[in-house]
Amino acid sequence: MATTMRPLPVAHDDVVDADLDVRLSTPSTLVVHARLVTGAPGAGGEGGVELALVIPRSRCRGERPLAAALLEAARAAVARATRAGVPAPAHPSRRVVTQVAGRPHLIFMPDAG
């Protein structure tokens, strides 16, 4: 059974309104764990690659990044991963997700190709 994909909640001030899966927190950066999912949801067809979304602290409010900064970090991580030899997915539902309270949340869907 496929899991329903929720978009990340964003507050009125453009800050992500959720406790993200933070892997590293330093005075200069926040690193959020995400995954580039490259297969069809359910039926065992999902594949993908782990991503590290690196966000400058200047674009965060505490442990929560601005939505635009998270999106830029996700795009940069996808570009790094695809340059590193991750095969281009055949399925059009390629997406970048992160976990919030144990549930997957959609960050964005990169352009195919």
Side-chain angles (χ1 to χ4, degrees):
M1 183 160 118
T3 304
T4 301
M5 192 69 57
R6 297 177 173 95
L8 279 173
V10 177
H12 70 280
D13 58 356
D14 194 40
V15 174
V16 174
D17 194 19
D19 293 327
L20 299 174
D21 186 1
V22 174
R23 292 297 168 103
L24 179 66
S25 178
T26 72
S28 60
T29 60
L30 183 71
V31 179
V32 173
H33 177 259
R35 183 169 177 81
L36 173 62
V37 179
T38 58
E46 261 184 39
V49 63
E50 303 299 312
L51 301 174
L53 311 185
V54 182
I55 304 149
R57 277 290 181 179
S58 62
R59 306 218 39 221
C60 296
R61 304 295 176 264
E63 296 293 302
R64 294 182 176 184
L66 294 172
L70 183 67
L71 182 58
E72 288 171 22
R75 286 185 174 136
V78 168
R80 284 192 307 272
T82 54
R83 278 194 301 265
V86 173
H91 198 275
S93 68
R94 177 171 79 149
R95 60 212 178 276
V96 177
V97 299
T98 191
Q99 296 287 320
V100 176
R103 294 190 172 159
H105 281 68
L106 181 67
I107 296 175
F108 85 112
M109 296 178 72
D111 295 332

